[in-house]
């Protein structure tokens, strides 16, 4: 990666239905990081997420369903003026056995600005 990680986003789905399922793998990883670092999540209702400050990095859990996580991630990136290369996203992958991880860099498409 070209830029240091400044925001780690853990994807999951809200509600008890998904609480202890692999769909919330991103939430589970961030909960462990926050516990290790003594960070506490606080609701950011404006940007539809929960945020905690780790050592030099923001931990972000969108409060939307996974397919709407952009409603949180985009506004967070704009607010903190983050380069997409400095954002690390953690999510489950149904094609992988539990416990297997894959790292990749993905170029984000820019959405046209609304005027």
């Amino acid at each position: 990666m070209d830029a240091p990680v400044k925001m780690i986003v853990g994807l999951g789905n809200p509600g008890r239905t998904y609480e202890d399922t692999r769909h919330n793998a991103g939430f589970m990883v961030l909960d462990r990081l926050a516990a290790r670092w003594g960070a506490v999540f606080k609701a950011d209702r404006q940007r539809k997420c929960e945020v905690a400050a780790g050592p030099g990095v923001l931990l972000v859990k969108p409060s939307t369903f996974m397919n709407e996580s952009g409603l949180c991630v985009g506004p967070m990136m704009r607010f903190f003026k983050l380069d997409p290369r400095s954002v690390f996203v953690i999510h489950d992958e149904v094609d992988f056995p539990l416990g297997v991880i894959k790292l990749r860099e993905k170029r984000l498409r820019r959405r046209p600005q609304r005027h």
Side-chain angles (χ1 to χ4, degrees):
M1 292 182 51
D2 297 337
V5 174
K6 294 184 179 172
M7 183 168 80
I8 302 173
V9 179
L11 299 185
N13 287 317
R16 300 194 122 215
T17 304
Y18 300 98
E19 200 168 277
D20 291 320
T21 68
R22 69 184 292 154
H23 293 294
N24 279 1
F27 287 178
M28 292 178 211
V29 170
L30 289 195
D31 287 341
R32 287 201 172 183
L33 288 173
R36 177 175 288 173
W37 295 332
V40 177
F41 283 97
K42 294 185 178 164
D44 181 337
R45 288 184 184 13
Q46 182 179 359
R47 288 178 265 295
K48 298 176 175 58
C49 61
E50 292 182 34
V51 182
V57 66
L58 290 172
L59 303 176
V60 178
K61 296 193 296 187
S63 54
T64 61
F65 283 90
M66 279 185 163
N67 60 339
E68 295 182 332
S69 59
L71 296 173
C72 157
V73 177
M76 289 295 289
M77 289 176 63
R78 284 188 292 278
F79 182 78
F80 289 103
K81 297 175 177 55
L82 297 176
D83 183 311
R85 294 170 296 179
S86 69
V87 179
F88 191 80
V89 180
I90 301 170
H91 64 89
D92 74 314
E93 177 57 61
V94 296
D95 294 332
F96 293 170
L98 190 60
V100 172
I101 65 169
K102 173 182 171 182
L103 297 175
R104 73 177 173 136
E105 184 175 0
K106 182 176 180 181
R107 301 282 180 202
L108 298 178
R109 289 179 280 140
R110 299 266 183 193
R111 289 188 178 185
Q113 294 292 324
R114 292 184 188 175
H115 299 284

